[in-house]
Amino acid sequence: MKAVIQRCTSASVTVDGKVISSIGRGILCLIGIGTNDTEHESQWLASKLLAMRLFPEDKEGESWGWKRSVVDAGYEVLCVSQFTLMANLKKGSKPDFHGAMSSETSKQMYLDFLQDLRQKYQADKIQDGEFGAMMDVQLVNDGPVTLILDSTTDAPARPTAKTPLSNDLKQKRKAELAQKAVEKSERLAQEKAGREQQLPRNGGETEEERAELIAKEKELIDSAEQKSKELADRFKVAMTESY
């Protein structure tokens, strides 16, 4: 989707000599919908439009200052569908509009875009023109301030759907995790046995001292094994739930 965003002190749309929409201070936004646009681009543009800090604070003598969004300031938004934004002029002098989504499909997307704006802001502050009609659009551009948004270059990538694992692959992953847990347990047991063998047998300590040393060693090893088992169980549950 493409959008031409203009900060304005007033704007209006006239159809057949009758003003059908008008706003005071706020944003006039021309919207173009391309053949590859989806709900992802529409929702991104709605959120971006409402979040852009285009307005100064209401201070005497402050005419610029990018501090407040249209929502922060409580201003209005006037949207106008504009398929000509999708024109291609790379070849020749006649605009090519093949990049624009068909009117049958784009109308519903445009209406969904408006509904998204109204839900994210205030319904009575979102105005629009007449889809597909010949319109006279007037505004007093404040600044002038005019910005362009293009979802093909400005929007984040669409989230990719995660491919579910087959039952066979799930079982294989579970078996691999279980085997790793067994191998780790065996390795810890071997390390424990090795440390016990390395304890001095006749180092001059008493039987009580040796028993205390062995008990402390065992306590540390048991604690490490318990933590390792808990981590392995958590990892196994997390992996199972993710698939």
Side-chain angles (χ1 to χ4, degrees), residues 162 165 173-174 177 233-243:
K162 193 172 183 179
L165 295 177
R173 292 287 177 85
K174 289 180 181 179
L177 290 172
D233 291 341
R234 288 181 193 172
F235 182 70
K236 188 187 301 183
V237 171
M239 288 294 292
T240 301
E241 290 178 348
S242 67
Y243 295 115

Side-chain angles (χ1 to χ4, degrees), residues 102-117:
S102 65
S103 59
E104 295 81 5
T105 308
S106 61
K107 182 176 182 179
Q108 186 58 54
M109 182 173 288
Y110 176 69
L111 294 176
D112 291 342
F113 171 76
L114 293 175
Q115 181 63 21
D116 193 23
L117 282 175

Side-chain angles (χ1 to χ4, degrees), residues 1 33 36-48 101 109 112-113 116 120 150-160:
M1 296 179 73
I33 303 175
N36 296 322
D37 288 326
T38 66
E39 182 182 7
H40 170 73
E41 285 76 20
S42 177
Q43 292 183 349
W44 165 80
L45 182 57
S47 298
K48 193 73 171 180
M101 183 179 290
M109 182 173 288
D112 291 342
F113 171 76
D116 193 23
K120 289 175 177 175
D150 188 339
S151 62
T152 59
T153 55
D154 302 329
R158 297 172 190 168
T160 55

Side-chain angles (χ1 to χ4, degrees), residues 108-239:
Q108 186 58 54
M109 182 173 288
Y110 176 69
L111 294 176
D112 291 342
F113 171 76
L114 293 175
Q115 181 63 21
D116 193 23
L117 282 175
R118 290 175 176 130
Q119 290 178 347
K120 289 175 177 175
Y121 186 24
Q122 298 178 35
D124 60 344
K125 291 186 180 296
I126 306 298
Q127 305 297 325
D128 70 295
E130 182 176 329
F131 187 91
M134 289 293 293
M135 295 173 277
D136 293 330
V137 181
Q138 297 182 338
L139 86 155
V140 178
N141 194 315
D142 179 21
V145 174
T146 302
L147 301 96
I148 299 174
L149 286 177
D150 188 339
S151 62
T152 59
T153 55
D154 302 329
R158 297 172 190 168
T160 55
K162 193 172 183 179
T163 304
L165 295 177
S166 64
N167 290 331
D168 290 343
L169 194 52
K170 286 181 181 179
Q171 293 301 323
K172 183 179 179 181
R173 292 287 177 85
K174 289 180 181 179
E176 290 175 351
L177 290 172
Q179 181 61 32
K180 288 181 179 179
V182 170
E183 291 174 354
K184 188 169 185 178
S185 179
E186 291 177 348
R187 185 174 68 255
L188 289 173
Q190 291 174 358
E191 292 174 355
K192 175 183 176 182
R195 283 192 293 269
E196 289 180 349
Q197 290 177 358
Q198 294 173 3
L199 287 174
R201 298 293 180 178
N202 298 304
E205 65 277 295
T206 65
E207 288 297 328
E208 291 182 358
E209 291 173 339
R210 174 174 171 73
E212 184 179 352
L213 183 61
I214 292 175
K216 289 182 178 179
E217 183 79 9
K218 184 177 183 304
E219 183 180 348
L220 291 173
I221 293 173
D222 290 344
S223 176
E225 288 180 345
Q226 181 62 28
K227 290 181 179 179
S228 176
K229 184 177 181 303
E230 290 175 358
L231 288 173
D233 291 341
R234 288 181 193 172
F235 182 70
K236 188 187 301 183
V237 171
M239 288 294 292

